[in-house]
Amino acid sequence: MQHRLTIKAGQKTTEGFADGNATILEALRVLGQAGPEAPCGGAGLCGKCRVLATGSLSAPDERERAVLSAVELASGIRLACRARIQGEVGIEMNEAGEASILSTGIAVEAKLDPPAFALSFKVPAPELETQTDDETRFLSCLESALAVRKGGSAPADRNGGADTRIGKPKLAILASLPGLLRKDGGLLTAVVAGNEVVSVRSGNGSSAQYGVGVDIGTTTVVCYLLDLLTGKRLGVRSGLNAQRGFGADVISRIQHTIEKPEGLSVLQGLVSGQISGLVRDLAADAGIDPADIASVCIAGNSTMLHLLAGVAPAAIASAPFIPGFTGRLTLRAAELGLDSTPNAAAILLPSVSGYVGADIVAGIMAVGMADRDERALFIDIGTNGEMAFGGKSGLLCCSTAAGPAFEGAVMERGSGGIGGAVDSVWVSGGSIGYSTIGSLPAIGLCGSGIIDALAAFLDLGLIDDTGRILDADEAGSLAPETAALRGESESGVRLYVDRERDLYLSQADVREAQLAKAAMAAGIDVLAKRAGVSLADIDRVYLAGGFGSFIDSASAVRIGLLPAEVGDRIVVAGNTSGAGAAACCLSAARLAECDRVRAACSYVELSASAEFNDAYIERMMFPEGKRVPEAT
């Protein structure tokens, strides 16, 4: 039996129906609602999927009573993953604030030579005398047009230059040719990638050509609109990943595809629909026709690319962690559900392994470390900490299971990087000062704020080097304003960033961050050791990704996330994955370089490594001392 739902998100109200006894979260997913946030994937662990719900619902279970106060329950606050629909229900959820999403990155020089582009040409009508079939006439004219584009002359026959030869079209294109060749006087536009025809349509569509570089992160999605004729960037659009209601990390999303028959198609539809919407917005912003977008180059971690491609990612989640594909894929955009640009070439950049994806390959290409003799370390800190070490002579790479601690997902007062999230914390006298994204009233701590807060409490002596928050007697020996930052509740001891707004780090929060930073630091230790290099010998450290670009490197060194030996050699590189994807959209040479980077990477598996486990235990302690200001 189905029951009516009325859903209010911000200023928007919608209605739908849900199966009886479905949880609110399950019902919202079926109806395509992006919220509420569910970092644990709906397992009832994080307590963050709070909604205001009225109507016929199941009674609060033990988990809800443990997470929600009596006042909250009495006011109608429920956990969407636990409350089950028994009849007509009204649901109200807070609309996610505007996210602070990094779209800028290191400048990547790229020779303008798009790997995929549109080419217009005319195919003569068939002749009774010659009986030349449609495919042969089509290929001959296309290759002639391609030769002219490359600066040569049209070959007399299909035995022209090898770089203008086009492979046999796929059946779907062959099937379209009879109709297309007999309208508009045989004028066609083909999208070509390498030696492959991706799509064909009638008419002239090559006078204006655009491309889109896409970075699909677990948390965010960023799209860049590019002019393929000038190389100019025309616009950027971004948003929180529409899959976030299915968990903050890739494992939660993979688990959904395993447990639900429709799970893969639902997650695929969410990300393809989101990219399509962002592309439509970019086209509208620039005043262009989406039909003139010839290519879409996409970077992302391996799981995100599998979900977009509709390839089951289940094997990535269990040993030996083997993905369905890692090589570069070139498809018609419609095959990925990108309905705003169905005829464009969609190029998925290559990955290294199940946990070192195309985002890392694109980033390594973007910073140029594979072309230099220096010993460089590349780090992308997210729900997983992916990193690479090396240079021109070769690269070692690995992934550490840092977990979602630094994205605020599992912290009691954690938040994503949205308006009002505490993004910076500092010691002010013996107390604490902080700032928020957008200078809005504080709502929680995002990753950079969590790292700063940890460093500040360590500096103030409220956390010892084992990660233990001082007891009341120990804190009493500190300055009164410092001791006042410590508090206790029924759930345990806390250190307050803002007592009035109930912003704090709990002992459990400190432990979560401690585990995450130890995993990252241990991964760095293993790569350096495998390369036969001491940490002091590292020439440069590139911090990539949205989170890595927002953290204070001095705070990261203070808590032991980054080694002290490299504190003066850190380069904030920005969104290198997006910068790399955009460069590949403009340059076939940059795309080929991604293939070379992938081939140069040797993957180091850490999950069963005694070497990693030893380093992990050693890095669990917090370093002694205080933050040292960054070198100028």
Side-chain angles (χ1 to χ4, degrees):
M1 183 176 180
Q2 289 205 316
H3 304 293
R4 182 185 298 275
L5 301 184
T6 302
I7 306 158
K8 184 178 181 182
Q11 302 300 312
K12 184 179 180 181
T13 300
T14 58
E15 290 191 348
F17 290 87
D19 291 335
N21 211 41
T23 66
I24 290 174
L25 186 61
E26 290 169 343
L28 292 173
R29 286 172 172 176
V30 170
L31 294 172
Q33 296 283 336
E37 300 284 347
C40 70
L45 301 176
C46 67
K48 292 183 180 287
C49 60
R50 303 180 186 210
V51 295
L52 177 62
T54 57
S56 184
L57 292 161
S58 61
D61 63 11
E62 183 178 348
R63 178 59 183 161
E64 283 190 280
R65 291 194 299 272
V67 171
L68 302 173
S69 68
V71 173
E72 288 176 316
L73 288 169
S75 65
I77 301 296
R78 300 295 300 271
L79 295 185
C81 70
R82 310 298 290 182
R84 296 189 176 274
I85 296 166
Q86 309 288 337
E88 189 168 330
V89 171
I91 302 164
E92 186 172 340
M93 27 183 204
N94 292 326
E95 199 167 33
E98 185 175 351
S100 178
I101 300 173
L102 185 70
S103 59
T104 57
I106 197 164
V108 183
E109 293 184 5
K111 177 184 177 183
L112 191 57
D113 178 25
F117 51 86
L119 196 60
S120 293
F121 55 96
K122 189 170 183 178
V123 180
E127 297 175 343
L128 181 63
E129 295 81 5
T130 61
Q131 289 290 298
T132 306
D133 62 80
D134 290 345
E135 179 191 12
T136 301
R137 297 192 336 276
F138 165 76
L139 287 174
S140 177
C141 293
L142 173 56
E143 289 173 352
S144 294
L146 184 59
V148 172
R149 183 184 189 276
K150 289 181 177 291
S153 58
D157 54 39
R158 291 204 66 214
N159 293 317
D163 62 343
T164 65
R165 290 295 302 271
I166 297 293
K168 187 174 182 65
K170 293 179 180 179
L171 181 59
I173 291 175
L174 290 177
S176 70
L177 287 180
L180 293 174
L181 289 175
R182 289 160 180 82
K183 60 189 289 189
D184 293 332
L187 182 61
L188 300 179
T189 296
V191 172
V192 178
N195 69 339
E196 181 181 350
V197 182
V198 176
S199 65
V200 183
R201 58 190 171 97
S202 62
N204 186 349
S206 63
S207 58
Q209 294 191 49
Y210 305 95
V212 178
V214 181
D215 169 37
I216 309 175
T218 310
T219 305
T220 61
V221 177
V222 185
C223 295
Y224 306 82
L225 180 64
L226 308 155
D227 188 323
L228 298 184
L229 301 180
T230 66
K232 183 180 179 181
R233 181 183 293 182
L234 303 179
V236 181
R237 282 274 187 162
S238 61
L240 294 171
N241 191 312
Q243 300 171 344
R244 66 192 186 278
F246 293 84
D249 55 78
V250 296
I251 298 300
S252 297
R253 298 182 200 176
I254 292 173
Q255 194 63 32
H256 183 73
T257 70
I258 296 171
E259 294 175 351
K260 302 291 184 181
E262 75 288 355
L264 179 57
S265 63
V266 168
L267 292 176
Q268 197 276 340
L270 284 171
V271 69
S272 63
Q274 181 173 21
I275 294 171
S276 294
L278 291 172
V279 170
R280 286 192 191 93
D281 291 341
L282 282 169
D285 293 343
I288 69 168
D289 185 346
D292 290 329
I293 294 174
S295 65
V296 183
C297 282
I298 304 168
N301 66 55
S302 298
T303 297
M304 291 300 105
L305 295 187
H306 277 61
L307 293 176
L308 174 64
V311 176
I316 297 175
S318 59
F321 316 112
I322 304 301
F325 65 93
T326 55
R328 187 209 310 178
L329 294 181
T330 300
L331 307 162
R332 183 169 173 258
E335 296 179 74
L336 300 178
L338 303 179
D339 56 15
S340 59
T341 56
N343 292 312
I347 301 172
L348 276 61
L349 302 187
S351 301
V352 175
S353 68
Y355 289 99
V356 176
D359 50 348
I360 306 307
V361 171
I364 292 171
M365 181 277 289
V367 301
M369 62 185 277
D371 298 326
R372 291 193 285 269
D373 290 325
E374 67 182 12
R375 293 158 295 194
L377 177 65
F378 178 94
I379 307 176
D380 189 329
I381 307 171
T383 52
N384 282 314
E386 292 107 351
M387 59 191 77
F389 180 83
K392 197 172 184 179
S393 60
L395 297 159
L396 295 173
C397 58
C398 70
S399 174
T400 62
F406 293 138
E407 296 190 346
V410 295
M411 313 300 260
E412 291 182 19
R413 296 295 287 146
S415 168
I418 62 177
V422 173
D423 61 346
S424 181
V425 178
W426 57 87
V427 175
S428 178
S431 191
I432 291 290
Y434 68 88
S435 64
T436 65
I437 295 174
S439 300
L440 297 172
I443 60 171
L445 287 85
C446 68
S448 58
I450 291 166
I451 290 177
D452 277 354
L454 274 172
F457 291 133
L458 284 165
D459 284 350
L460 290 169
L462 286 163
I463 301 173
D464 68 19
D465 60 355
T466 71
R468 181 182 63 88
I469 296 176
L470 301 191
D471 63 31
D473 289 340
E474 293 170 313
S477 66
L478 302 174
E481 60 270 28
T482 299
L485 298 174
R486 184 189 181 280
E488 295 187 18
S489 70
E490 293 180 1
S491 60
V493 64
R494 300 170 172 179
L495 295 177
Y496 282 94
V497 172
D498 187 330
R499 191 180 290 268
E500 183 178 342
R501 291 191 172 275
D502 200 33
L503 299 179
Y504 59 86
L505 291 181
S506 69
Q507 182 65 74
D509 292 338
V510 174
R511 296 301 185 204
E512 287 285 352
Q514 203 170 356
L515 294 172
K517 73 93 179 176
M520 289 292 304
I524 295 170
D525 287 342
V526 170
L527 289 188
K529 186 175 181 180
R530 291 284 181 95
V533 173
S534 71
L535 296 176
D537 290 332
I538 296 174
D539 296 311
R540 196 185 309 265
V541 177
Y542 295 100
L543 279 186
F547 174 57
S549 297
F550 286 126
I551 67 174
D552 181 276
S553 57
S555 294
V557 169
R558 175 65 182 95
I559 72 169
L561 176 64
L562 297 176
E565 293 90 335
V566 301
D568 60 346
R569 303 166 213 169
I570 295 171
V571 176
V572 176
N575 186 350
T576 56
S577 176
C584 288
C585 208
L586 295 172
S587 171
R590 288 299 188 183
L591 182 59
E593 190 175 337
C594 284
D595 292 330
R596 290 194 296 274
V597 166
R598 177 195 177 224
C601 284
S602 296
Y603 179 66
V604 178
E605 177 55 52
L606 301 179
S607 62
S609 167
E611 190 177 27
F612 173 76
N613 290 335
D614 291 343
Y616 181 60
I617 293 169
E618 186 176 336
R619 291 293 185 176
M620 194 68 70
M621 301 281 281
F622 287 113
E624 296 180 356
K626 293 192 176 185
R627 280 174 290 188
V628 177
E630 295 179 63
T632 56

